[in-house]
Each structure stands twice: as structure tokens, then as C-alpha cells.
Amino acid sequence: MTQAERILSKFPTMAALARELGHTHTSTVNAWKRSGFIHQRHHNAIMEAARQMGVELMPADFSVIEESA
């Protein structure tokens, strides 16, 4: 599971997260899912969105863990 998948799976929907972040469309959130990575500049906003939505999200969830083959 990628970093983005791990984080996005905690939210009810990607559209709900996008709305909470103030995005009109889900394109940014979809790009995170496709790339598997959410850049650090978005972490605080996502943490705040999680808090507002009652989603349990920890800073450690943003770590990038290399998966072994």
C-alpha cells in the first residue's frame, strides 16, 4: 500500500476530502492516488481536514515506507 493509499483509505471518499480541503474538483486528490505520494506541503491541511471530519490520522501515516519485493 502506498503512502497516499494508506491516507486516502481513512477518509469516507476522495470527494469528501477534496471538499474539506476547499477543492471544487477531486483532481488533486486523484493525482495523489495515482502517484502514490502526497507531498509534505499538503500534510497539515490533510491533518486539519481529518480532524474536522473525525478521521483518525496520525503524522506517522505520512511516512513513506519502502515495500520489499
Side-chain angles (χ1 to χ4, degrees), residues 5-18 20-21 38 45-51 53-57 62:
E5 289 171 332
R6 185 172 53 253
I7 293 164
L8 297 175
S9 70
K10 294 179 178 266
F11 289 88
T13 65
M14 290 191 302
L17 174 57
E20 189 64 37
L21 292 171
I38 300 172
I46 294 169
M47 288 293 293
E48 179 59 21
R51 190 183 70 74
M53 297 172 74
V55 171
E56 189 174 325
L57 187 64
F62 289 92

Side-chain angles (χ1 to χ4, degrees), residues 13-26 29:
T13 65
M14 290 191 302
L17 174 57
R19 275 193 306 277
E20 189 64 37
L21 292 171
H23 296 275
T24 306
H25 302 284
T26 61
V29 179

Side-chain angles (χ1 to χ4, degrees), residues 21-54:
L21 292 171
H23 296 275
T24 306
H25 302 284
T26 61
S27 57
T28 299
V29 179
N30 285 329
W32 296 337
K33 184 175 181 182
R34 279 192 310 276
S35 73
F37 179 74
I38 300 172
H39 193 278
Q40 185 176 1
R41 69 178 170 264
H42 301 291
H43 293 188
N44 288 338
I46 294 169
M47 288 293 293
E48 179 59 21
R51 190 183 70 74
Q52 291 291 327
M53 297 172 74

Side-chain angles (χ1 to χ4, degrees), residues 2-4 6-7 37 43 58-66:
T2 68
Q3 174 225 37
R6 185 172 53 253
I7 293 164
F37 179 74
H43 293 188
M58 306 300 289
D61 292 321
F62 289 92
S63 67
V64 178
I65 302 167
E66 290 187 31

